[in-house]
Amino acid sequence: MNLAVLPGDDIGPEIVEATLRVLEKADHLFGLGLSFQMLEVGMAAHRRTGTTLPDETFEQAKRADGIILGPAGVTAYPPAADGGLNVPGTIRKRLDLYANIRPARSRTYLPRAVAGLDCLFVRENTEGFYADRSMFHGSGEFMPTADCALSVRRITTQASRRVAKLAFAYAGRRRRAVTMVGKRHVLQTTDGLFMREAESEAALYPHVVLNEMDVDAVAAELYTHPEGFDVILTTNMFGDILSNEALALSGGLGLACSLNLGDRHAAANAGHGSAPDIAGKGIANPIGMILSSAMLLDWLGDQHSRPEYCRAAGSIEAAADVALQSAEHRTPDLGGRGGTRSLSDAICRALGEPSTDLDVAGGS
Ligand code: ATP
């Protein structure tokens, strides 16, 4: 299976390199037959080619079986007219990666983790309250008069329905509960449409329980009663905000992993930014990127009926748990004394040492 690897900016190359070491180890242990195609994007590509996302790079990524995409330092890019294309945004749009899948699981051995959190956000990824995604032409933010600014939120039946379908499919493999989140009594038309589509989809999944909660209530309940959530289905910006909260509650933003998913393509993309403040210091937490890549392996295993991919994904997650338990290996953002390299080395060692927690020999 060919994976396109786009390291990104700032800490991107460091955490992607750490991720590739773990994937190479998993490839060797599980006989995955992975090959990696390194493709330059971001400011490195801009310096060489005048654009942050060369067309040829995009075409090669499109042809790959899966994409590993390091975080992009988009805020430092030049304007789009000067070649500063938003790399993850453009890939998401062109490949129609319409759902952002973000798990948050408490690791109670971490200093700041709340107990009982184990949820999965299924966040709509193509529309909503984002100025670049709501209009056919022009920006979703505009000023009709000098003292008045407006912002448009686009919600469509098609986008709502397909993301709901994914949420129910994921819930079927978890604890069979979906909480749809918005503020329907205030945003009656848009959240009303989003939730009606989820309710229609729910009829096809009678074994999954669907309930509804307001976004403000969820913000509080994630902290006070995190055990109440399994799959959380929500619109783009609510999902962005709540999933960051959940990640912080699970132990820290450096753990943020995610998969951007469409019907034919998937991109592993850590849920945090490019952290320019710590780039080059060797202390970036690679866990988010590593676990995002494990999610990609799991998806590939499902798509291509390759159970060894799913086993490799489960073992990488278990190995990360083993490695994270030691403050010697953990990076400073998680209160540890380790670095990017020592943490990924510890994961590779844990992967290579079958234990009761790991499934390197094969199993469920
Ligand atoms: P974006 O808008 O691109 O998502 P952001 O503004 O949310 O980015 P980040 O780049 O995610 O900002 O960084 C926020 C803070 O979290 C910074 O202090 C950064 O150093 C820290 N941080 C983010 N990712 C990591 C990581 N992998 N390891 C350690 N610290 C991180």
Side-chain angles (χ1 to χ4, degrees), residues 111-287:
R112 288 193 298 271
V114 302
L117 179 67
D118 181 6
C119 66
L120 183 81
F121 285 86
V122 177
R123 164 190 168 202
E124 205 290 321
N125 217 13
T126 62
E127 50 186 30
F129 234 142
Y130 284 76
D132 62 336
R133 277 165 243 185
S134 34
M135 307 286 274
F136 170 66
H137 179 72
S139 168
E141 280 202 308
F142 46 93
M143 292 185 77
T145 58
D147 60 351
C148 169
L150 298 176
S151 192
V152 170
R153 182 172 82 142
R154 188 170 82 129
I155 303 288
T156 64
T157 51
Q158 189 224 15
S160 305
R161 190 63 175 258
R162 64 185 182 174
V163 76
K165 194 180 181 68
L166 267 184
F168 285 100
Y170 272 103
R173 289 191 262 146
R174 291 173 51 96
R175 301 192 305 280
R176 298 183 174 184
V178 173
T179 303
M180 56 181 179
V181 177
K183 201 142 170 112
R184 186 166 14 185
H185 56 100
V186 176
L187 298 164
Q188 294 180 5
T189 308
T190 46
D191 273 345
L193 188 154
F194 183 79
M195 292 188 182
R196 273 196 307 279
E197 290 304 313
E199 283 160 349
S200 302
E201 195 61 28
L204 306 174
Y205 296 84
H207 57 294
V208 176
V209 175
L210 174 67
N211 72 330
E212 174 180 350
M213 277 180 78
D214 278 355
V215 60
D216 47 339
V218 174
E221 291 271 314
L222 279 170
Y223 180 66
T224 53
H225 298 100
E227 66 286 348
F229 298 102
D230 181 17
V231 171
I232 297 176
L233 167 65
T234 190
T235 49
N236 204 344
M237 191 168 289
F238 289 158
D240 186 24
I241 296 166
L242 289 176
S243 60
N244 260 26
E245 179 196 350
L247 257 305
L249 293 172
S250 80
L253 197 56
L255 302 168
C257 56
S258 84
L259 195 63
N260 284 311
L261 199 56
D263 288 331
R264 286 200 299 276
H265 301 277
N269 191 192
H272 53 73
S274 66
D277 51 331
I278 56 165
K281 295 185 177 164
I283 56 168
N285 186 343
I287 290 288

Side-chain angles (χ1 to χ4, degrees), residues 76-93:
Y77 287 0
D82 298 328
L85 289 182
N86 176 333
V87 175
T90 307
I91 291 177
R92 198 169 50 222
K93 206 166 185 170

Side-chain angles (χ1 to χ4, degrees), residues 18 21-22 25 286 290 323 329 339-351:
R21 275 203 301 278
V22 172
K25 180 88 185 201
I290 290 170
H329 300 141
T340 313
R341 179 72 197 230
S342 61
L343 184 50
S344 60
D345 282 350
I347 295 173
C348 288
R349 278 196 302 279
L351 255 181

